[in-house]
Amino acid sequence: LMLLLLGDMPERGVHWLRPGAAHHARWMPSILYPAKMFAFSDQAGYSKQMIDKLESLCLFNALFYVEKWLSASVGADAPYNDLQLWHDLNEYKKHDPRVVNAAIKAFERHFWYLTEECAVFSLFSNRLSDSERQDIARHLNRVPAPKTFEKGHPRFPVLNHTTKLADLVGAESWLLFHSLQVNTAWLTAPVPLWQLDPDYREAEMFVRHVKVVNDLSERAVKLIQDFATSISNDETQRQ
């Protein structure tokens, strides 16, 4: 569907399926259904205003949402993906400010992987060049590790058009290595040598297996809610 919206043709051609009744993955309907509504908008008899809105939504999904979703589960790439998306959205604002402003407003409530605690994940991302990763390591080494770490809600950063991943690391970034109890001597070495250090590989293994997408949590909450209400209506028993 996204290839068709962008003017390309899938290798296996086109075969339209009737929309289903429901999706357990709640992000899917906002992509699949508008795309089909836009594709058949003439036959459906939608107004021009409706078609314009569908086109804006479909282009946003095709250009941004789908690509980012498909790579969202890779923990090491999460900071890079989020910062790049923020920059891309601001660049796209000149083409469709209505959609982009709404997207940025929602996105800025979810800067979890751009906080100091998680921005350091980008040290392990293959999407960054060696020079970028070295720059992040230099920035981190300039900040001494705190004796105690902050508790509670992480502080979201304030971004601008010049913000780089190296700008997002800070004292709280040492929390990752403190929690894993690994040596960080490799941070002073050239990036090509990092893989030779067992402490680097241990931290990399952790970051690459971090559960980034919150779908697992949402499904677990729904499951326990259904279970609780099925066995009793008594609040004490449910608790």
Side-chain angles (χ1 to χ4, degrees):
L1 284 175
M2 297 306 104
L3 286 173
L4 289 172
L5 288 170
L6 295 172
D8 202 354
M9 178 64 69
E11 292 182 1
R12 294 182 296 175
V14 181
H15 178 65
W16 295 96
L17 298 176
R18 182 187 300 274
H23 277 279
H24 292 293
R26 289 181 291 279
W27 62 277
M28 289 289 283
S30 63
I31 298 174
L32 296 177
Y33 297 162
K36 293 183 178 182
M37 291 167 69
F38 179 65
F40 294 95
S41 55
D42 288 342
Q43 289 144 278
Y46 296 139
S47 66
K48 184 180 184 306
Q49 182 182 28
M50 178 69 165
I51 294 173
D52 289 343
K53 289 181 178 179
L54 284 170
E55 183 177 22
S56 294
L57 178 58
C58 290
L59 284 176
F60 171 79
N61 287 336
L63 294 172
F64 299 103
Y65 196 104
V66 171
E67 188 270 333
K68 293 304 179 186
W69 171 264
L70 292 175
S71 59
S73 60
V74 184
D77 295 340
Y80 171 85
N81 287 337
D82 284 2
L83 183 59
Q84 189 60 51
L85 175 58
W86 189 86
H87 285 308
D88 289 345
L89 286 174
N90 278 276
E91 180 66 23
Y92 191 65
K93 190 182 291 187
K94 66 184 74 169
H95 301 290
D96 196 338
R98 177 181 54 182
V99 169
V100 170
N101 286 335
I104 290 178
K105 184 178 180 181
F107 182 35
E108 289 182 343
R109 298 196 297 266
H110 299 277
F111 275 174
W112 307 104
Y113 291 89
L114 298 180
T115 60
E116 289 186 7
E117 291 87 344
C118 292
V120 71
F121 284 12
S122 54
L123 283 169
F124 308 95
S125 174
N126 295 327
R127 302 196 69 177
L128 274 69
S129 65
D130 285 359
S131 61
E132 289 174 305
R133 295 166 74 188
Q134 202 83 64
D135 193 31
I136 294 170
R138 279 194 295 267
H139 274 68
L140 184 58
N141 279 322
R142 294 192 191 113
V143 184
K147 293 182 179 179
T148 59
F149 293 93
E150 294 184 7
K151 297 180 180 179
H153 195 294
R155 287 180 293 178
F156 286 172
V158 177
L159 308 180
N160 59 56
H161 70 282
T162 64
T163 300
K164 299 184 296 184
L165 285 170
D167 301 325
L168 301 177
V169 299
E172 297 299 314
S173 299
W174 290 105
L175 176 63
L176 170 67
F177 309 110
H178 173 78
S179 301
L180 296 177
Q181 297 182 338
V182 295
N183 190 291
T184 56
W186 51 270
L187 284 169
T188 60
V191 173
L193 300 180
W194 288 359
Q195 278 289 347
L196 303 178
D197 192 296
D199 289 296
Y200 169 83
R201 294 198 298 271
E202 182 178 345
E204 181 188 36
M205 180 68 70
F206 171 82
V207 169
R208 292 196 176 278
H209 288 82
V210 165
K211 298 296 184 184
V212 176
V213 184
N214 71 347
D215 186 58
L216 292 174
S217 300
E218 291 188 4
R219 288 175 184 269
V221 169
K222 182 65 166 63
L223 180 63
I224 195 63
Q225 286 176 338
D226 290 345
F227 175 71
T229 55
S230 68
I231 60 173
S232 174
N233 289 323
D234 181 78
E235 180 63 23
T236 304
Q237 292 294 324
R238 285 207 298 267
Q239 293 298 331

